[in-house]
Amino acid sequence: MAPSRTTRKNVKAKSVPKSQPKTVPFLLEIGTEELPSAVIPQALEDLANLGQRLFADSRLEYESLRVVGTPRRLALLVKGVQPQQASLTQEILGPPVSAALDASGQPTKAALGFAKSQGVPVDRLRRKDTPKGAYMAVETHQRGQSAKRVITEALPQILSKLVFPKAMRWNASRAKFGRPIRWVVALVGDQPLRIEFAGIQSGAMTKGHRFYRAKGKKPGQAFPLTTANNYIEAMKRLGVLVDPEERRSLIMQQVSALAKAAKGQVDPLYRDELIETAVFGVEYPHAILGTFQKEFLAVPKPVLISSMKEHQGFFSLITKDGGLLPKFIAVTNMPWGNTPLMTKGNERVLAARLSDAQYFFTEDSKRPLHERVPALEGVLLHHKLGTVRQKVDRVGHLVGWMAEQIGGKDLDEMCRRAAFLAKADLTTGMVGEFPTLQGVMGEEYARHDGESPEVCRAIGEQYFPRFPDDQLPKELPGVLVAVADRCDSIVAFFAAGMSPSGSEDPLGLRRAAYGLVRILAETPLRLNVTSVVDQALRILDGQGGKVRGTPQTGSDVVAFILDRLRFYGRQHLGLREDIMEAVIHVSNSMVCDMADLVARMQALEAMVPQPDFDPLMIGFKRAHRIVEKEQWTNAQALPEQFVHESERRLFQALEVVQQQVRDSVNDRNYGKALLSLLELKSPIDEFFGAVMVNDSDPQTRANRLSLLKATDDLFLTVADLSCLQSASG
């Protein structure tokens, strides 16, 4: 998955009155050994957030804040910083008057202690009346200090809060950072700040591109920055494009031009990910076009593309019809180097990698996949759950059970065969060398072995979606294998007591559940997740291993998947939390149909803004609260016991709308069902306006409660609208 593109952050503060003193710019540059490209976007985002916090906590106003960076530097640029922090006047409450003054009105130890803690004489304390009573208070005034002094004091603590997934210690300071820090530049205007961090004294000296040779200078020699202004332009003169977006634009231009010159186009599969890696892998990009021997094209296309991507970060080129060209594009960090020499070097390295891939493919193909399955007994899935071979058996039983529910014998056989072969490629040399080709190579080797096209595609589709926005399985066997594989993983690890906790998810169960939600919500497959989970538990329990599910395991797994449904609704569909909760709250504990739940949520989301809906909610919520408070369960109102015409009108309206809603729900047309419910607004309002539910006559009271219970039940066939926050009452 490509790194996040949160590479630039601009933040505007309050406008500064013209009458105030002249503002100054601020620059912080942290120079390091080469940082991994994957960690730089998050580091820049964190640096921006820490910079905002520094200025907010220090009461320093500014015009704009921005972060830029490369593998060798992270920089914070702030424009329009006020030269002096704002003064602070505040009133601080102390002890209650009753505790601060004795019977004669003299200050007690509590008052004296409070005054001392605030650095004022006790006679500066004043009485302050508050809603909670009378307290002693004091007004304090802190005069603003210079921006230079404030930033100097705050910077070391800010820098210490920059964290990385993997950090290093490299000197006696014991400071931790993503890579060793080699220099720190800190300037306010043209004045260097003197701070120490990680054993480095800050100053005005920076370094340019490692291989850039300025006139009369050595490559990588240090240069002074004379001002915090024009940092980006100053670094360009030193061979560094510090703005990631500028590098991105240049890389895309260069790659597009080279692809056009090669009479091809960049393969779209990994294009964005490779561009992102290149952006944060170089300080000044220079794309080059190389070639490889045509005989390598006999190796399956996914193998060649993965080899170029994983090991070299090269862009693959394809023809208009999708065929692979024997050419590649590499983004180097050497715009001043010998391009022909660099091209030959990259071609030589790639040729070695492709030779390895060709060898693995040739050797792996000598042994059919079905002969590799027994070897999975030697591949450990987890010490609590046994081997991958045992997982293959569980997935095979589960996918066969699902296929029986949906289709006939042919579908059952295809799914079981695909599940049997699905993990066999884990024993191949190719997947051992390129782990990202799991499933991809299984499909290629199955096709080579003469397996049916449906089985081959199902093996390849089992891992889809691999990341949140990835493609989904397209054919039913692939969909079923993907669902069975994910359900088995989630159920097995939950049964073993290894459900995710907090933000930790080392087993990738949240990713598996999110993929499951997407498959069931976006494909035509209709499955009851609760039944599938229960069946997966039965298969696990019947396998004879040490792991056994508890009575709570199934409901815990379904709740976990529903939590991922909420995440999917927020991130992918933009649904409101209360709308999702309204639907999930009434879902049958024995039935969990993702597509049905999503359809209800989307229908409710579309209905809520309607002008007639909010007034309807007032009456419904009133009915719901009464039924809930009374814990009333009888929904059979008797017409012969009605006392007022409004009761009869509501009863008659319910009879009509109940049939309409029932028909719409059966057709899964939840928008139409909600429109039918709007017809109950007037009868409900008239009922509450005309009668008292809590009538003195027990029989009348009971009949009215039953009428409200019938109303409540009708609404709950679509969603629990009492969860909605839009309606008042």
Side-chain angles (χ1 to χ4, degrees), residues 42-73:
Q42 186 60 53
L44 291 175
E45 180 75 9
D46 293 344
L47 181 59
N49 292 332
L50 290 169
Q52 292 174 53
R53 192 180 309 165
L54 182 155
F55 284 90
D57 293 347
S58 302
R59 306 194 309 279
L60 281 172
E61 293 187 345
Y62 59 91
E63 292 176 2
S64 65
L65 179 149
R66 179 183 179 189
V67 287
V68 293
T70 75
R72 293 186 72 208
R73 68 201 74 229

Side-chain angles (χ1 to χ4, degrees), residues 644-651 683 686-691 707:
H644 195 275
E645 181 61 27
S646 63
E647 298 171 272
R648 189 168 288 101
R649 279 200 60 200
L650 177 56
F651 180 80
E686 183 181 336
F687 174 84
F688 281 120
V691 304
L707 188 58

Side-chain angles (χ1 to χ4, degrees), residues 15-250:
S15 60
V16 180
K18 295 182 179 179
S19 60
Q20 292 199 6
K22 186 177 179 181
T23 60
V24 292
F26 168 66
L27 164 67
L28 169 68
E29 182 191 59
I30 310 165
T32 69
E33 294 296 332
E34 273 77 0
L35 290 161
S37 61
V39 308
I40 298 175
Q42 186 60 53
L44 291 175
E45 180 75 9
D46 293 344
L47 181 59
N49 292 332
L50 290 169
Q52 292 174 53
R53 192 180 309 165
L54 182 155
F55 284 90
D57 293 347
S58 302
R59 306 194 309 279
L60 281 172
E61 293 187 345
Y62 59 91
E63 292 176 2
S64 65
L65 179 149
R66 179 183 179 189
V67 287
V68 293
T70 75
R72 293 186 72 208
R73 68 201 74 229
L74 305 173
L76 174 67
L77 314 176
V78 187
K79 291 184 178 180
V81 179
Q82 288 294 298
Q84 186 112 353
Q85 74 176 158
S87 297
L88 178 64
T89 299
Q90 57 182 344
E91 187 177 61
I92 301 175
L93 292 180
V97 171
S98 59
L101 301 177
D102 61 19
S104 61
Q106 296 302 308
T108 64
K109 288 183 178 181
L112 294 171
F114 173 62
K116 183 179 180 180
S117 70
Q118 300 303 314
V120 299
V122 73
D123 58 9
R124 284 270 305 275
L125 302 184
R126 296 288 181 267
R127 177 191 175 101
K128 174 71 174 181
D129 291 321
T130 75
K132 294 184 178 180
Y135 288 80
M136 301 305 291
V138 64
E139 188 176 88
T140 63
H141 181 76
Q142 295 179 21
R143 185 176 180 181
Q145 299 178 340
S146 70
K148 182 178 178 181
R149 178 176 178 180
V150 171
I151 296 173
T152 299
E153 292 177 355
L155 263 185
Q157 289 137 6
I158 293 296
L159 293 175
S160 68
K161 292 176 181 176
L162 270 174
V163 296
F164 295 83
K166 293 183 180 179
M168 301 175 61
R169 290 190 177 98
W170 63 95
N171 60 20
S173 74
R174 305 299 292 166
K176 295 174 68 176
F177 211 75
R179 287 294 185 271
I181 295 175
R182 297 307 185 202
W183 74 90
V184 176
V185 175
L187 294 172
V188 172
D190 57 1
Q191 300 180 48
L193 303 185
R194 301 300 176 188
I195 66 167
E196 181 178 337
F197 180 68
I200 302 293
Q201 293 286 341
S202 70
M205 301 298 289
T206 188
K207 291 185 179 181
H209 193 289
R210 193 180 290 278
F211 306 115
Y212 176 72
R213 183 191 296 272
K215 188 175 181 181
K217 303 289 184 179
K218 296 179 180 179
Q221 185 172 339
F223 285 83
L225 290 172
T226 58
T227 176
N229 268 326
N230 303 319
Y231 168 72
I232 293 176
E233 294 303 318
M235 294 312 300
K236 284 182 182 178
R237 293 192 290 271
L238 300 179
V240 180
L241 298 181
V242 292
D243 185 354
E245 294 307 313
E246 189 172 1
R247 296 197 301 277
R248 187 188 311 280
S249 177
L250 183 57

Side-chain angles (χ1 to χ4, degrees), residues 354-583:
L354 296 185
S355 293
D356 290 344
Q358 187 179 49
Y359 169 78
F360 287 130
F361 181 71
T362 301
E363 290 301 306
D364 291 341
S365 299
K366 293 177 180 178
R367 187 180 177 193
L369 276 182
H370 70 266
E371 291 185 4
R372 294 181 175 275
V373 175
L376 293 174
E377 294 175 359
V379 181
L380 184 66
L381 175 65
H382 191 276
H383 70 275
K384 290 186 176 182
L385 294 173
T387 67
V388 175
R389 180 70 178 88
Q390 290 173 293
K391 177 179 175 62
V392 166
D393 287 342
R394 293 196 303 270
V395 172
H397 287 308
L398 183 58
V399 78
W401 176 83
M402 289 191 295
E404 289 174 3
Q405 314 298 309
I406 297 169
K409 183 178 179 182
D410 290 344
L411 178 62
D412 183 5
E413 291 177 352
M414 278 190 293
C415 290
R416 288 181 185 272
R417 183 65 177 175
F420 177 72
L421 300 173
K423 306 299 180 185
D425 63 354
L426 296 179
T427 67
T428 64
M430 186 73 77
V431 172
E433 182 71 10
F434 303 104
T436 57
L437 289 179
Q438 294 176 40
V440 174
M441 292 316 304
E443 179 177 357
E444 292 292 337
Y445 292 139
R447 188 173 291 113
H448 180 272
D449 295 343
E451 298 287 346
S452 72
E454 294 83 3
V455 168
C456 296
R457 285 191 290 268
I459 294 171
E461 291 180 339
Q462 65 175 307
Y463 294 106
F464 293 162
R466 297 158 298 177
F467 47 86
D469 297 324
D470 193 20
Q471 61 182 311
L472 298 177
K474 292 186 174 67
E475 298 185 9
L476 185 55
V479 169
L480 290 174
V481 173
V483 168
D485 184 47
R486 285 167 171 80
C487 280
D488 172 75
S489 294
I490 299 169
V491 166
F493 283 112
F494 264 69
M498 291 181 288
S499 58
S501 60
S503 60
E504 299 296 322
D505 186 21
L507 301 170
L509 299 185
R510 289 192 181 98
R511 182 173 66 250
Y514 185 82
L516 180 65
V517 167
R518 278 200 61 205
I519 292 170
L520 296 177
E522 298 178 27
T523 67
L525 179 65
R526 304 300 300 271
L527 278 177
N528 178 3
V529 173
T530 302
S531 297
V532 176
V533 167
D534 289 343
Q535 183 66 18
L537 270 171
R538 283 192 287 271
I539 294 170
L540 178 68
D541 291 345
Q543 198 171 52
K546 297 179 181 179
V547 174
R548 289 288 187 274
T550 67
Q552 192 64 26
T553 301
S555 57
D556 287 345
V557 169
V558 173
F560 175 71
I561 295 171
L562 286 174
D563 182 66
R564 292 294 88 192
L565 174 63
R566 292 183 180 91
F567 182 81
Y568 171 77
R570 285 193 302 271
Q571 300 295 321
H572 189 72
L573 303 177
L575 297 173
R576 283 172 26 183
E577 292 286 347
D578 59 331
I579 285 175
M580 292 189 289
E581 191 58 39
V583 171

Side-chain angles (χ1 to χ4, degrees), residues 253-273:
Q253 291 174 19
Q254 293 176 351
V255 168
S256 295
L258 289 177
K260 185 176 181 181
K263 297 181 180 179
Q265 57 191 26
V266 175
D267 182 74
L269 182 60
Y270 300 115
R271 178 181 55 207
D272 293 343
E273 182 179 347

